[in-house]
């Protein structure tokens, strides 16, 4: 780099490290150290309050492999991801195409789609609790107009996951819409002009121009929504506590339970390590999808 | 205001040497123009003076002080950049005041200095505007304002006019010269445009591949180019160069023979029989009409004629070399005509074909005193 | 086809806005009507007053403000310095450090609740506002966002600043920071709305009203009722929590949307 006085290597290094120091300190204490520490602790058995921890090798992991709740949680989380990710993406894309077109009340519509993004999940959980509540909840009110009896959406294992998925899709679809709007604005308008001249139908235009050119956005949104599927658990605390029968328990919430309800340090660490592995897998997916991005942009 | 001295300065980036063996003294109050093609090291030299580039070898003095270890902000130089480098978030006043504020000059004094500088440059009415609301020429003035307001010892200008259109260029050229006459601040000006160099400089420094080719007044470098490169670079169109062989009293190239004037014969005595390059300016090749004045007239076919208005150039091909002659624009010459041209060799130069250097003589005429 | 699509989307927009309307509707009607959908013109602010009196929402508000803006201020400082280094300086170990910082983008702090709780305990920061804030003081996201912006600042501007007498910090402050203003606004909005909403971490860290943010306070308030009888109050409380965010969103809608857009372009 042609940098004048800063080429004097010592000065450059001095300032660089000095300026990076604050960030590095906090990153070390609250990201790197905890990661390493938690990996280490996952090989020990120790309960909160007990000072002695015993090295037990992979026993925590072995325990988890045989733990029904763990598998239930993993299964739930996969369903949760399968339910939220594609739905949010498709809805977001539709919303963006809609809002990007010439329509009435455009900015209001955009606002309606987006506002759930700025509401805390915990508040959303409160709102939807009232919507789902048996008997008096909004949905049950509406169902009663059609003569359908009260359904306890959050109280039965068959419906609780679906209820949560609907809520999360409601929360995040508008957020993803924003990325699609940005993506749409990057598509050169003359492509659409060509399509118009060629007489391509709306659906074909979407299929051949819009959708492929939005691919980078889709990949990006896919990664965020996948991460969200493992991060977003605030609502469980208010709505279901993971129940009934762990039917709505997710991995991060299970970590919370094991760590702060059962106070099992070793197991909580092992669970955290599994969570870290999932995050790494997502990062790897992102890394490889970035490669593909080049073809589209 | 200060003089500058370069002592054996060298600048390397890794393996690449961009400035080599730079030795130069610049006098106080002088207007020096560094000129050369892109990549010749002229900008690097300027940035070395500013302290934006570190010297790999050698010493740089501003005044009597070695500034090798002095940071840019303490060198008391100011610089005008090619793209003006105005702060887009500041209005004209704040842009001009930027350096004064950084140096903690009291606001009251700043106001006076900025108003004064803006007055000199005729931008008093623009002080409240943001750079993006200004034309190129106005932005240029603001950049100059920022540069002069804190009265630095040296002004550095890096191709300041290259983003302006032709008319504005001419105007700003004379304004900068005027400014220099008023302020008398030592100015070092970098350009690739030899016209700027010729019109503005007290002395021109011509560089190529990191090496100074020649230092001199515009007249000196024009009339006595040190080498083929300088001859080609200074002057528009460039000096003509013709490869040939020196006979006793004539220069031979292809089927043509040019008799030499007495003084040249005398001077070239030692080179008889050698291959040389003849360098002759387009204005020294005269179209002679139908009659041939001298035996040194040559009958040449004109390939094309370029009319520029106040002057015209005839392009010809002689023994495989394209040569250009400046002709009277009012003459009615058509291309493909065969015409007589007289080569005034009194002002011609001869160059060594290997070193490309001009053959030195004890200067025949001192042009400066003419 | 096009018409069906449009109709569906208008309908979807309606569906999207219903929860908010439902919340407001419940919050402004007498609590005894909360469980019925019947229409009546009763309007009351009692629910807000009751909620405000039954739980220390004022304290929660203050705490949230303190936490959110505390985090933001520190983040702005750490991220600005680091972003400048990554944008403009070449130093020993740059690549390694850059990758280390990428790790934080990869592994969000939110999934490290358990180990970070232990770190906080070791630092004796449990049940403090600083404890809620401190893990977020370094922000890889902020660093990347600002670095991107800083890189697009013409290098000559920095050189002019140097020549005109600015030191390195002064250059950052007078050249880079003002030029990156839109990026700062974007980052600020994203950071504030994110930490305003943050729940699980403060829930774990705090155990007194003195340090709880709004989100935790709200969930405690909501959970303190067994039946639907107090819905109206919970709705009112919920509305109080989201109101500043919604208001900010409606006022700064353009900025919000463009900043969330920017936040995606890494």
């Amino acid at each position: 780099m042609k940098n004048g006085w800063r080429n004097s290597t010592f000065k450059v290094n001095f300032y660089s490290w000095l300026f990076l120091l604050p960030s590095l300190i906090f990153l070390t204490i609250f990201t790197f150290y905890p990661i390493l520490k938690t990996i280490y602790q996952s090989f020990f058995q120790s309960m909160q309050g007990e000072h002695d921890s015993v090295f037990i090798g992979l026993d925590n992991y072995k325990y988890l492999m045989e733990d029904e709740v763990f598998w239930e949680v993993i299964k739930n989380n996969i369903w949760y991801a399968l339910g939220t990710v594609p739905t949010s993406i498709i809805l977001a894309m539709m919303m963006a195409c809609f809002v990007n077109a010439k329509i009435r009340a455009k900015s209001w519509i955009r606002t309606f789609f987006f506002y759930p993004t700025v509401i805390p999940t915990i508040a959303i959980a409160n709102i939807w609790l009232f919507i789902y509540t048996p008997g008096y909840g909004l949905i049950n009110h509406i169902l009663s107009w059609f003569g359908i009896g009260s359904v306890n959406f959050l109280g039965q294992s068959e419906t609780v996951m679906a209820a949560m998925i609907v809520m999360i899709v409601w929360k995040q679809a508008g957020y993803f819409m924003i990325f699609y709007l940005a993506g749409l604005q990057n598509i050169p308008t003359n492509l659409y002009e060509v399509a118009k001249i060629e007489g391509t139908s709306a659906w074909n235009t979407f299929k051949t121009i819009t959708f492929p050119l939005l691919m980078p956005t889709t990949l990006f949104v896919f990664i965020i929504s996948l991460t969200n599927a493992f991060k977003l658990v605030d609502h469980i605390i208010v709505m279901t506590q993971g129940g009934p029968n762990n039917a709505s328990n997710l991995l991060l919430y299970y970590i919370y339970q094991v760590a702060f309800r059962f106070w099992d340090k070793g197991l909580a660490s092992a669970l955290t390590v599994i969570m870290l592995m999932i995050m790494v897998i997502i990062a790897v997916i992102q890394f490889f999808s970035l490669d593909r991005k080049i073809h589209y942009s | 205001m200060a003089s500058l001295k370069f002592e054996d300065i060298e600048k390397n980036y890794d393996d690449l040497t961009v400035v080599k063996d730079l030795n130069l003294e610049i006098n106080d109050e002088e207007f020096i123009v560094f000129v050369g093609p892109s990549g010749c090291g002229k900008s690097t030299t300027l940035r070395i003076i500013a302290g934006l580039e570190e010297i790999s070898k050698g010493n740089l003095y501003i005044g009597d002080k070695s500034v090798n270890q002095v940071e840019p902000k303490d060198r008391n130089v100011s610089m005008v950049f090619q793209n003006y480098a105005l702060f887009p978030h500041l209005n004209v006043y704040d842009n001009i005041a930027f350096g004064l504020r950084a140096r903690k000059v009291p606001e009251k004094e700043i106001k006076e200095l900025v108003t004064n500088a803006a007055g000199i440059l005729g931008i008093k009415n623009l002080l409240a505007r943001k750079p993006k609301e200004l034309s190129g020429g106005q932005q240029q003035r603001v950049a100059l304002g920022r540069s002069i307001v804190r009265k630095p010892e040296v002004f550095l200008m890096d191709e300041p006019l290259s983003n302006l259109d032709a008319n504005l260029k001419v105007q700003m050229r004379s304004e900068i010269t005027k400014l220099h006459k008023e302020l008398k601040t030592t100015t070092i000006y970098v350009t690739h445009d030899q016209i700027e160099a010729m019109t503005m400089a007290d002395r021109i420094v011509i560089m190529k591949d990191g090496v100074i080719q020649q230092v001199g007044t515009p007249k000196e470098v024009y009339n006595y180019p040190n080498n083929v490169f300088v001859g080609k670079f200074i002057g528009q169109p460039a000096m003509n160069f013709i490869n040939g062989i020196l006979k006793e009293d004539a220069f031979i190239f292809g089927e043509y023979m040019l008799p030499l004037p007495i003084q040249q014969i005398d001077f070239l005595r030692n080179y008889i029989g050698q291959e040389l390059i003849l360098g002759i300016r387009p204005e020294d090749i005269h179209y002679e009409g139908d009659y041939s004045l001298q035996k040194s007239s040559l009958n040449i076919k004109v390939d094309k004629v370029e009319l520029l208005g106040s002057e015209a150039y005839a392009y010809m091909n002689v023994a495989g070399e394209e040569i250009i002659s400046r002709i009277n624009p009012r003459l009615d010459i058509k291309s493909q005509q065969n015409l007589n041209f007289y080569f005034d060799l009194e002002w011609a130069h001869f160059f060594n074909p290997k070193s490309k250097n001009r053959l030195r003589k004890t200067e025949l005429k001192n042009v400066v005193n003419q | 086809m096009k018409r069906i699509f449009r109709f569906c989307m208008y309908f979807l927009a309606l569906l999207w806005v219903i929860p908010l309307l439902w919340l407001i509707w419940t919050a402004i009607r007498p609590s005894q009507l909360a469980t019925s959908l019947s229409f009546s013109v009763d309007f009351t602010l009692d629910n807000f007053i009751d909620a405000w009196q039954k739980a220390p929402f004022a304290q929660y508000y203050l705490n949230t403000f303190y936490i959110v803006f505390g985090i933001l201020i520190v983040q702005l400082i750490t991220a600005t310095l680091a972003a400048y280094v990554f944008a403009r300086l070449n130093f020993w170990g740059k690549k390694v450090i850059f990758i280390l910082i990428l790790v934080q983008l990869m592994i969000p702090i939110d999934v490290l609740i358990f180990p970070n709780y232990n770190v906080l305990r070791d630092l004796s920061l449990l049940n403090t506002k600083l404890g809620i804030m401190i893990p977020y003081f370094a922000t890889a996201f902020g660093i990347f966002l600002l670095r991107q912006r800083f890189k697009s600042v013409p290098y000559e501007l920095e050189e002019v600043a140097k020549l005109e007498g600015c030191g390195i910090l002064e250059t950052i402050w007078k050249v880079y920071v003002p030029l990156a203003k839109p990026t700062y606004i974007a980052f600020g909005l994203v950071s504030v709305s994110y930490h305003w909403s943050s729940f699980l971490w403060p829930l774990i860290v705090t155990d007194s009203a003195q340090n709880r943010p709004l989100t935790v306070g709200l969930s405690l308030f909501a959970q303190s009722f067994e039946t639907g009888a107090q819905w109206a109050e919970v709705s009112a409380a919920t509305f109080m929590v989201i109101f500043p965010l919604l208001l900010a969103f409606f006022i700064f809608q353009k900025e919000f949307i463009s900043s969330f857009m920017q936040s995606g372009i890494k």
Side-chain angles (χ1 to χ4, degrees):
Chain A
M1 237 160 91
K2 311 197 236 170
N3 268 346
W5 62 271
R6 287 173 313 188
N7 270 355
S8 35
T9 336
F10 172 76
K11 246 183 187 165
V12 178
N13 279 303
F14 176 77
Y15 277 117
S16 300
W17 285 94
L18 186 72
F19 287 180
L20 284 174
L21 203 61
S23 291
L24 287 181
I25 288 174
F26 293 119
L27 277 178
T28 307
I29 302 177
F30 294 102
T31 301
F32 308 137
Y33 169 74
I35 289 174
L36 297 178
K37 184 74 191 279
T38 203
I39 294 171
Y40 175 80
Q41 269 186 344
S42 71
F43 301 119
F44 288 84
Q45 184 181 44
S46 78
M47 303 299 280
Q48 199 82 4
E50 292 173 20
H51 282 287
D52 305 316
S53 46
V54 187
F55 180 80
I56 51 166
L58 290 172
D59 278 6
N60 280 322
Y61 295 96
K62 272 185 202 142
Y63 172 83
L64 282 179
M65 292 303 114
E66 284 153 22
D67 176 14
E68 270 175 45
V69 181
F70 172 74
W71 286 113
E72 174 79 17
V73 162
I74 291 291
K75 196 189 79 196
N76 286 342
N77 224 323
I78 289 170
W79 277 114
Y80 185 59
L82 284 175
T84 56
V85 175
T87 328
S88 304
I89 289 178
I90 292 166
L91 275 180
M93 208 185 278
M94 284 163 66
M95 287 170 172
C97 288
F98 182 56
V99 170
N100 201 42
K102 287 192 186 98
I103 53 158
R104 278 160 199 268
K106 187 168 168 160
S107 66
W108 279 105
I109 301 290
R110 196 180 56 189
T111 308
F112 289 171
F113 286 149
F114 185 73
Y115 84 91
T117 300
V118 294
I119 302 181
T121 316
I122 197 72
I124 285 175
N126 271 343
I127 300 171
W128 283 77
L129 200 57
F130 304 151
I131 292 175
Y132 285 139
T133 299
Y136 317 110
L138 180 63
I139 295 182
N140 276 311
H141 267 300
I142 294 166
L143 288 180
S144 71
W145 297 344
F146 299 96
I148 301 168
S150 174
V151 182
N152 188 355
F153 291 101
L154 299 176
Q156 43 193 28
S157 21
E158 300 84 44
T159 50
V160 64
M161 185 55 81
M164 272 171 31
I165 288 170
V166 169
M167 185 189 84
I168 293 298
V169 168
W170 177 80
K171 177 185 162 50
Q172 66 183 10
Y175 178 44
F176 300 151
M177 168 191 77
I178 295 299
F179 299 117
Y180 278 115
L181 275 177
L184 283 173
Q185 273 155 28
N186 287 335
I187 300 179
T189 41
N190 56 16
L191 290 182
Y192 289 107
E193 286 161 2
V194 169
K196 227 177 216 169
I197 294 165
E198 301 291 326
T200 320
S201 72
W203 170 245
N204 271 328
T205 308
F206 176 80
K207 220 168 59 180
T208 53
I209 300 173
T210 314
F211 185 77
L213 286 170
L214 284 177
M215 210 54 202
T217 314
T218 303
L219 290 169
F220 175 74
V221 167
F222 172 74
I223 295 296
I224 311 185
S225 55
L226 196 58
T227 315
N228 273 355
F230 290 91
K231 249 170 61 177
L232 273 184
V233 297
D234 294 358
H235 54 282
I236 299 177
I237 290 166
V238 171
M239 298 177 98
T240 64
Q241 307 278 331
N245 251 331
N246 286 313
S248 65
N249 202 346
L250 298 180
L251 182 55
L252 186 56
Y253 185 75
Y254 191 47
I255 293 177
Y256 166 76
Q257 278 186 324
V258 171
F260 303 107
R261 293 285 165 80
F262 315 148
W263 298 106
D264 189 332
K265 276 161 94 175
L267 207 56
S269 297
L271 281 167
T272 303
V273 171
I274 288 167
M275 178 63 108
L276 291 177
M277 277 157 53
I278 292 170
M279 292 294 130
V280 170
I281 291 169
I282 295 176
V284 170
I285 296 173
Q286 181 173 26
F287 181 77
F288 282 107
S289 62
L290 273 179
D291 241 357
R292 267 176 61 200
K293 207 169 162 174
I294 296 160
H295 300 291
Y296 295 98
S297 53
Chain B
M1 282 163 276
S3 59
L4 276 96
K5 194 167 135 200
F6 299 81
E7 221 173 61
D8 295 320
I9 284 180
E10 191 171 310
K11 173 71 190 171
N12 306 307
Y13 295 123
D14 301 323
D15 300 338
L16 190 71
T17 304
V18 274
V19 173
K20 211 161 45 192
D21 302 329
L22 183 64
N23 283 292
L24 181 66
E25 284 187 44
I26 295 170
N27 303 322
D28 192 12
E29 301 188 9
E30 206 172 9
F31 196 115
I32 290 277
V33 177
F34 277 76
V35 68
S38 58
C40 71
K42 57 188 192 296
S43 281
T44 309
T45 309
L46 196 73
R47 295 167 59 82
I48 284 174
I49 303 169
L52 297 169
E53 304 281 352
E54 253 185 327
I55 304 173
S56 309
K57 230 168 77 184
N59 287 305
L60 174 67
Y61 299 89
I62 298 179
D64 308 322
K65 206 172 85 186
S66 164
V67 292
N68 285 15
Q69 302 300 325
V70 179
E71 296 212 347
K73 66 186 173 87
D74 302 320
R75 291 192 181 194
N76 202 11
V77 301
S78 73
M79 186 152 164
V80 177
F81 287 80
Q82 182 173 1
N83 56 10
Y84 320 133
L86 299 179
F87 298 107
H89 58 293
L90 301 179
N91 65 21
V92 170
Y93 182 95
D94 293 332
N95 258 294
I96 297 177
F98 189 91
L100 298 170
R101 293 221 170 101
R103 291 183 155 79
K104 312 271 185 291
V105 176
E107 279 300 319
K108 217 179 121 197
E109 207 173 312
I110 290 181
K111 191 167 181 203
E112 207 182 297
L113 290 167
V114 171
T115 319
N116 190 23
I120 294 175
L121 292 158
I123 48 171
K124 256 185 176 164
N125 54 334
L126 305 176
L127 287 175
R129 295 218 202 148
K130 289 273 175 73
K132 64 168 186 284
E133 300 161 344
L134 303 176
S135 69
Q138 289 167 334
Q139 291 188 21
Q140 173 67 74
R141 280 167 219 264
V142 178
L144 282 169
R146 183 174 63 194
S147 167
I148 64 174
V149 75
R150 61 185 170 81
K151 306 198 168 62
E153 299 202 319
V154 182
F155 287 151
L156 304 174
M157 304 193 185
D158 191 2
E159 310 232 8
L161 303 185
S162 60
N163 286 355
L164 300 178
D165 65 48
N167 286 331
L168 211 49
K169 234 181 216 178
V170 175
Q171 190 192 336
M172 286 308 293
R173 230 155 58 191
S174 59
E175 282 194 33
I176 291 176
T177 315
K178 212 177 90 199
L179 201 63
H180 177 251
K181 289 232 163 68
E182 265 176 60
L183 302 172
K184 299 202 165 36
T185 308
T186 314
T187 304
I188 298 162
Y189 185 108
V190 161
T191 180
H192 63 270
D193 181 349
Q194 55 94 21
I195 298 177
E196 283 173 28
M198 293 295 285
T199 50
M200 300 169 83
D202 290 333
R203 278 195 300 160
I204 298 178
V205 178
I206 299 139
M207 289 186 79
K208 184 195 160 203
D209 299 334
V211 180
I212 292 184
Q213 304 294 310
Q214 189 168 3
V215 182
T217 64
K219 269 189 181 170
E220 280 165 4
V221 296
Y222 187 79
N223 289 318
Y224 295 103
N226 269 358
N227 53 33
V228 171
F229 175 79
V230 175
K232 271 198 176 134
F233 199 84
I234 300 290
Q236 182 64 38
M239 188 179 249
N240 296 300
F241 292 97
I242 305 167
N243 286 297
I245 293 170
L246 190 72
K247 286 281 152 63
E248 259 165 53
D249 57 353
F251 183 73
I252 314 267
F253 57 100
E255 72 250 47
Y256 299 102
M257 188 182 88
L258 281 175
L260 295 170
I262 307 282
Q263 314 95 301
Q264 299 276 33
I265 294 173
D266 197 39
F267 160 67
L268 293 167
R269 210 179 301 125
N270 302 331
Y271 301 97
I272 290 168
Q274 288 188 18
E275 278 185 29
L276 289 179
I277 298 173
L278 167 71
I280 183 164
R281 294 271 175 204
E283 62 266 32
D284 293 324
I285 304 177
H286 303 282
Y287 165 62
E288 286 300 327
D290 293 330
Y291 62 97
S292 74
L293 254 185
Q294 310 265 348
K295 48 184 174 167
S296 53
S297 277
L298 302 180
N299 190 266
I300 308 171
K301 190 179 83 185
V302 175
D303 289 332
K304 68 172 183 202
V305 177
E306 225 175 54
L307 177 68
L308 300 181
S310 64
E311 51 196 30
Y313 294 100
Y315 289 76
M316 304 162 275
N317 209 308
V318 183
E321 322 246 7
E322 179 169 78
I323 60 170
I324 304 171
S325 156
R326 193 173 78 189
I327 55 177
N328 185 338
R330 298 216 163 81
L331 290 174
D332 187 27
I333 294 179
K334 294 193 180 62
S335 49
Q336 308 306 326
Q337 267 179 304
N338 268 45
L339 300 170
N340 285 328
F341 286 90
Y342 162 57
F343 287 62
D344 183 357
L345 292 189
E346 210 168 314
W347 284 104
H349 299 289
F350 291 89
F351 299 84
N352 181 326
K354 287 218 179 63
S355 68
K356 310 276 186 196
N357 286 334
R358 179 164 56 89
L359 303 184
R360 291 288 179 162
K361 45 190 159 186
T362 40
E363 307 288 80
L364 292 169
K365 280 181 185 169
N366 191 341
V367 186
V368 188
N369 297 337
Q370 216 176 29
Chain C
M1 173 76 193
K2 216 172 186 175
R3 279 204 180 154
I4 297 169
F5 174 69
R6 291 203 166 175
F7 175 78
C8 289
M9 293 315 287
Y10 276 119
F11 183 70
L12 193 72
L14 184 70
L15 279 184
W16 242 243
V17 79
I18 281 174
L20 181 64
L21 297 179
W22 169 247
L23 174 77
I24 298 171
W25 179 249
T26 318
I28 58 169
R29 276 155 49 92
S31 52
Q32 59 273 20
L33 294 176
T35 50
S36 76
L37 252 188
S38 65
F39 283 92
S40 61
V41 282
D42 299 308
F43 169 79
T44 176
L45 287 176
D46 289 351
N47 300 319
F48 290 92
I49 296 163
D50 286 349
W52 189 266
Q53 281 168 350
K54 279 185 189 163
F57 277 104
Q59 178 75 50
Y60 295 154
Y61 254 107
L62 279 179
N63 293 343
T64 290
F65 263 99
Y66 183 92
I67 291 165
V68 162
F69 288 101
I71 292 176
L72 180 64
I73 288 165
V74 180
Q75 279 183 334
L76 289 180
I77 296 168
T78 58
T80 300
L81 293 175
Y84 174 77
V85 171
F86 280 122
R88 291 297 194 210
L89 301 181
N90 244 340
F91 61 99
W92 185 85
K94 185 172 185 174
K95 273 190 184 143
V96 178
I97 299 296
F98 198 72
I99 289 167
L100 278 181
I101 287 180
L102 269 172
V103 169
Q104 200 205 35
L105 279 188
M106 207 164 80
I107 296 170
I109 293 175
D110 313 62
V111 304
L112 294 171
I113 45 169
F114 175 61
N116 272 337
Y117 174 86
N118 295 330
V119 172
L120 227 53
R121 191 195 52 223
D122 295 343
L123 294 172
S124 312
L125 285 176
L126 286 179
N127 196 28
T128 62
K129 290 188 208 70
L130 182 61
I132 301 175
M133 292 150 68
I134 198 170
Y136 297 98
F137 280 172
T139 161
F141 168 61
I143 293 172
F144 283 101
L145 207 60
L146 285 172
R147 164 181 169 267
Q148 218 52 28
R149 177 69 191 98
F150 285 177
K151 276 184 124 172
S152 69
V153 171
Y155 197 71
E156 290 88 351
L157 293 184
E158 170 163 350
E159 294 184 328
V160 169
K162 292 261 133 76
L163 282 168
E164 295 295 311
C166 292
I168 190 163
L169 278 174
E170 215 178 348
T171 305
I172 295 174
W173 179 242
K174 285 191 169 169
V175 178
Y176 286 91
V177 171
L179 284 175
K181 208 167 127 197
T183 312
Y184 280 104
I185 291 175
F187 176 72
L189 285 173
V190 172
S191 170
V192 165
S193 66
Y194 185 86
H195 293 290
W196 190 288
S197 304
S198 151
F199 170 69
L200 190 58
W201 176 245
L203 173 76
I204 294 164
V205 173
T206 55
D207 57 17
S208 68
Q210 202 194 338
N211 293 311
R212 272 181 199 126
L214 271 174
T215 46
V216 177
L218 173 67
S219 85
L220 292 180
F221 182 74
Q223 283 168 329
S224 63
F225 300 109
E226 285 292 313
T227 61
Q230 257 68 39
W231 274 16
E233 279 173 34
V234 175
S235 294
T238 305
F239 190 73
M240 287 193 305
V241 171
I242 67 174
F243 181 68
L245 288 170
L246 284 179
L247 189 71
F249 169 62
F250 280 114
I251 295 172
F252 298 112
Q253 210 189 132
K254 264 203 178 127
E255 287 79 4
F256 246 100
I257 287 178
S258 72
S259 48
F260 276 89
M261 262 186 204
Q262 272 201 38
S263 72
I265 303 155
K266 282 177 191 165

